[in-house]
């Protein structure tokens, strides 16, 4: 699907507003009701959606924008998230024809696999930055419970983002059809 600059700008704006709302929800509301250690990374779902659906040279900049907005609410660096997002989107580009998004279950499985790959990349980069791999598994394991919840939510989340990015029925082969 071809995107005009206005479509990209509006999609980016809507996506960033959704991400800000979700980040406020996970960093302010959840801790206020006693859920302190559960902070799902919705930015990862957004980047995965963009990598699945958005075939445009502007994709790395959209990943940067998404990670930068996420970094406002997190201590995680936007640079590491951007690098991981670009690496994942490149791998998705090569594997896109092999992936199936025809059902919600297949979407959940594919999203879970790529979230785990994302978190392995993040854990490796953080371990390199720390200078030791002693805490690799503790860093990686921190992300796993949230990834299951995000994977289950991904079909609904992708439907919402489809509307933001105006992914039409002509692109249904690469979309979730529930």
């Amino acid at each position: 699907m071809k995107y005009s600059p206005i479509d990209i700008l509006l999609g980016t704006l809507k996506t960033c507003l959704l991400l800000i709302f979700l980040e406020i929800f996970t960093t302010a509301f959840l801790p206020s009701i006693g859920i302190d250690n559960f902070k799902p990374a919705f930015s990862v779902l957004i980047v995965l959606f963009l990598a699945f659906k958005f075939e445009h040279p502007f994709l790395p900049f959209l990943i940067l924008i998404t990670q930068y907005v996420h970094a406002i609410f997190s201590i995680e660096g936007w640079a590491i998230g951007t690098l991981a997002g670009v690496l994942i989107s490149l791998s998705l580009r090569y594997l896109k024809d092999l992936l199936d998004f025809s059902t919600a279950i297949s979407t959940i499985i594919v999203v879970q696999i790529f979230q785990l790959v994302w978190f392995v990349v993040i854990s490796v980069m953080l371990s390199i930055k720390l200078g030791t791999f002693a805490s690799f598994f503790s860093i990686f394991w921190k992300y796993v419970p949230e990834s299951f919840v995000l994977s289950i939510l991904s079909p609904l989340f992708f439907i919402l983002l489809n509307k933001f990015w105006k992914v039409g029925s002509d692109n249904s082969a690469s979309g979730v059809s529930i």
Side-chain angles (χ1 to χ4, degrees):
M1 180 173 186
K2 300 288 182 191
Y3 291 95
S4 70
I6 295 296
D7 290 337
I8 294 172
L9 182 64
L10 288 175
T12 304
L13 182 63
K14 291 175 189 176
T15 303
C16 286
L17 289 174
L18 175 65
L19 181 58
I20 289 170
F21 170 77
L22 291 170
E23 292 288 349
I24 290 171
F25 178 78
T26 58
T27 58
F29 181 72
L30 289 180
S32 71
I33 60 172
I35 304 173
D36 293 329
N37 295 324
F38 186 75
K39 293 180 179 44
F42 286 99
S43 63
V44 174
L45 269 186
I46 291 171
V47 170
L48 287 175
F49 171 82
L50 292 172
F52 292 145
K53 304 283 181 119
F54 193 76
E55 294 184 18
H56 196 277
F58 198 65
L59 178 62
F61 296 107
L62 292 177
I63 294 171
L64 172 66
I65 291 167
T66 302
Q67 289 304 103
Y68 202 69
V69 169
H70 171 67
I72 294 170
F73 298 94
S74 174
I75 59 171
E76 298 169 8
W78 58 268
I80 290 175
T82 301
L83 181 59
V86 170
L87 291 174
I88 296 296
S89 67
L90 286 173
S91 65
L92 278 171
R93 181 165 295 218
Y94 291 114
L95 298 173
K96 189 175 257 187
D97 294 334
L98 302 173
L99 301 175
D100 177 32
F101 294 104
S102 59
T103 66
I105 296 297
S106 62
T107 302
I108 290 169
I109 292 169
V110 169
V111 167
Q112 181 62 34
I113 290 168
F114 279 100
Q115 281 187 94
L116 292 176
V117 171
W118 177 293
F119 297 136
V120 165
V121 170
I122 293 290
S123 299
V124 166
M125 285 193 257
L126 286 174
S127 295
I128 290 171
K129 189 174 182 178
L130 293 172
T132 179
F133 280 85
S135 58
F136 172 81
F137 288 109
S138 64
I139 294 170
F140 173 73
W141 193 251
K142 173 189 165 300
Y143 294 112
V144 172
E146 290 96 354
S147 73
F148 289 119
V149 173
L150 289 174
S151 293
I152 291 169
L153 292 175
S154 66
L156 298 173
F157 198 74
F158 283 12
I159 289 170
L160 177 63
L161 289 174
N162 275 339
K163 293 179 187 205
F164 286 1
W165 287 94
K166 297 180 181 178
V167 177
S169 59
D170 60 333
N171 218 9
S172 62
S174 65
V176 177
S177 57
I178 301 175

